Each structure stands twice: as C-alpha cells, then as structure tokens.
Amino acid sequence: PLPSGYSNSKWAKVPIEARRAMSVAASNGDWPIYLWGDAGRGQSCAAAAAFASWSKPAIWLGFSQLCDDLNKFNTSQIVTFYSGATPVDLSKSGYWQRLKNTGLVVVDEIGTKDSSGHRFDTFLQLLELRKKRPLILTGNLSPEKISDTYDERVLSRIYEGTVIQFV
C-alpha cells in the first residue's frame, strides 16, 4: 500500500514531461529513475503514481526507514517486519533478497539526512542490488550534490538510468 499522505497521487497530477520521461525510461528499462527537485515539486507524487499503477509486487520505503531497518540487524540475527498486518521474520540477507526480488522498489527522500558510512554503504548496495531492475528514487539533491554527499560511484550508478528534474 501507499504510505499515508499519498493516497491522492494520480498521474494527472504529474507534469506531462515527467510522465513521458518516466514512461520512456520504464519502457526502455533505463533504471533507476531518479526524480529530483526542490521540496514540494511533485517527485514523491510521481513516484506514488508509478507505485500505485505497478501491477507486480512493489515496496515503498523512505531512505531513512531503509537505513533504520538495516541497523536493527546490528543487535539481532532475525528481525520481525510487517507486511501490512502480517509479521515476517527476516535475516539481513533475507531482507536484501526481498528487495532484490520485488518487482518495483521505490525509495523516497534519499538525501534528507547525513551521509554516514552506513547510509553510503546502504545506498551503494541498494543501487548494485537493483541494477537494471525497477527502482525509483526521489530526493531534493541535484546530481552534483549527490556526488558531494555520497561520491562519484553513487552518482555514476544513478546515471546508468534516468534522471528527471522537477521544476
């Protein structure tokens, strides 16, 4: 399900140029798709519209949530997560496997906190894991800021896909 606050996200609310660019990228397999721009420009709305219209299994995560989830494995080999109301026990490798095998993964707000080593490693591993697989990233960081915040390796993996600016 969509996270709260995105239930009204529809393709009609997404700028036509962004809709077209996302459609072309998805059709051509140009993953990941990075949607970026100033806050409130519609990146997350566009990601939510894509998520809602995806016909295969999909996962929506905030980047901070992804990092927090993985931190839980520092104190436990098995962690219980919830898929809706259903508890699911996963190991760290099982968690990554779930992200790898899901049809679409959307990671919202990739640049909202510091870029600690853990966050950098998580981001790089996610990009490697989802290489040429459906992955939508949203954020407020320009490509140049991604390079400054993380490094060139992260930026080069994002540029293997499609970068769409919301103005």
Side-chain angles (χ1 to χ4, degrees), residues 1-12:
L2 282 170
S4 63
Y6 293 106
S7 59
N8 290 329
S9 296
K10 309 281 186 241
W11 281 118

Side-chain angles (χ1 to χ4, degrees), residues 12 14 22 32 35 41 49 56 79 81 84 88 111 130 139 146 154 164:
V14 178
M22 290 175 72
L35 310 174
R41 298 291 182 191
K56 299 175 186 171
V79 176
F81 296 96
V88 178
R130 296 297 302 181
I146 287 175
V154 168
I164 302 169

Side-chain angles (χ1 to χ4, degrees), residues 13-126:
K13 294 183 176 185
V14 178
I16 188 70
E17 303 82 20
R19 269 189 275 162
R20 285 185 185 136
M22 290 175 72
S23 178
V24 168
S27 295
N28 292 339
D30 293 333
W31 304 103
I33 296 174
Y34 177 47
L35 310 174
W36 75 278
D38 291 337
R41 298 291 182 191
Q43 305 90 282
S44 295
C45 177
F51 182 88
S53 65
W54 194 260
S55 61
K56 299 175 186 171
I59 294 175
W60 178 290
L61 291 166
F63 186 62
S64 291
Q65 178 189 351
L66 173 63
C67 293
D68 292 347
D69 284 353
L70 290 166
N71 271 335
K72 293 175 185 174
F73 291 107
N74 293 335
T75 58
S76 180
Q77 294 294 312
I78 301 293
V79 176
T80 301
F81 296 96
Y82 286 86
S83 179
T86 307
V88 178
D89 292 333
L90 292 172
S91 64
K92 189 173 187 177
S93 64
Y95 185 92
W96 281 113
Q97 201 62 29
R98 185 170 167 243
L99 288 176
K100 180 179 182 181
N101 294 331
T102 297
L104 169 69
V105 174
V106 176
V107 180
D108 197 26
E109 302 296 345
I110 62 166
T112 56
K113 293 199 177 181
D114 65 57
S115 59
S116 67
H118 169 69
R119 293 176 77 80
F120 168 77
D121 292 342
T122 298
F123 198 11
L124 199 57
Q125 188 169 354
L126 174 72

